[in-house]
């Protein structure tokens, strides 16, 4: 399994932001701009909390297993792999969604004199922050589940 790269996430964020900004300009010239739902930052924040809780739980269990505490509940490798895949998928989607709301928010910054658009810009900003929280939590989860490096890189002669 390959590690998430910040360049890929940043690229997704920027591309989605630019496309969203252009689509917002086009949509506004044709009619009314679709609203940014209040649920967007809430859902992203919930996903960030779930990822952080999973990472903290796995870290505690791995630490107890490594320290060989009596009664320590181990971590199944497949469960850790599933958690990492969930984190990586969440980070990729969050980068796209945050970029989309970021582009819409940048467009809305030019129209802050209208109270409804000001609220939409605020919701978009919170969605971007929550998306960045998802990405940070996913990277933390990935770091927790990373296998330690082998000490001897050379294959042993048996």
């Amino acid at each position: 399994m390959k590690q998430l790269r910040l360049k890929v996430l940043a690229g997704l964020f920027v591309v989605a932001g630019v496309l969203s900004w252009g689509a917002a300009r086009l949509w506004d010239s044709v009619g009314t701009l679709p609203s940014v739902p209040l649920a967007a930052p809430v859902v992203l924040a919930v996903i960030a909390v779930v990822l952080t809780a999973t990472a903290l739980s796995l870290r505690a269990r791995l630490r107890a297993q490594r320290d060989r505490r009596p009664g320590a509940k181990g971590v199944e490798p497949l469960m850790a792999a599933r958690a990492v895949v969930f984190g990586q998928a969440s980070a990729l989607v969050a980068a796209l969604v945050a970029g989309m709301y970021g582009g819409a928010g940048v467009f809305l910054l030019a129209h802050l004199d209208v109270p409804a658009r000001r609220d939409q810009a605020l919701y978009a900003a919170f969605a971007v922050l929550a998306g960045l929280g998802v990405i940070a939590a996913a990277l933390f989860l990935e770091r927790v589940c990373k296998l330690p490096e082998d000490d001897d890189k050379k294959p042993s002669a048996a």
Side-chain angles (χ1 to χ4, degrees):
M1 186 178 305
K2 291 188 178 185
Q3 204 170 5
L4 275 177
R5 295 180 186 233
L6 288 178
K7 290 180 184 179
V8 171
L9 295 173
L12 284 172
F13 178 83
V14 169
V15 168
V18 168
L19 290 175
S20 176
W21 174 78
R25 285 191 61 187
L26 179 65
W27 205 313
D28 190 53
S29 69
V30 173
T32 60
L33 184 68
S35 65
V36 178
L38 179 60
V42 173
V43 169
L44 287 170
V46 167
I47 293 171
V49 167
V50 167
L51 286 171
T52 303
T54 302
L56 292 174
S57 171
L58 286 174
R59 184 176 70 168
R61 288 173 62 183
L62 287 169
R63 186 173 291 154
Q65 186 178 7
R66 191 173 39 247
D67 294 343
R68 297 183 185 199
R69 294 184 193 147
K73 187 175 179 183
V75 177
E76 293 180 29
L78 190 56
M79 185 183 79
R82 286 179 182 156
V84 170
V85 168
F86 172 61
Q88 287 182 346
S90 298
L92 291 170
V93 170
L96 285 171
V97 170
M100 183 184 73
Y101 287 125
V106 167
F107 172 77
L108 290 169
L109 286 177
H111 305 288
L112 290 179
D113 52 338
V114 180
R117 295 224 172 167
R118 188 177 323 121
D119 292 343
Q120 295 299 307
L122 190 62
Y123 297 159
F126 285 144
V128 170
L129 290 175
L132 293 176
V134 170
I135 292 170
L139 292 173
F140 176 59
L141 175 63
E142 188 178 57
R143 181 180 171 146
V144 165
C145 293
K146 186 177 178 184
L147 292 174
E149 297 292 328
D150 290 333
D151 287 337
D152 52 64
K153 307 255 178 184
K154 301 175 191 172
S156 61

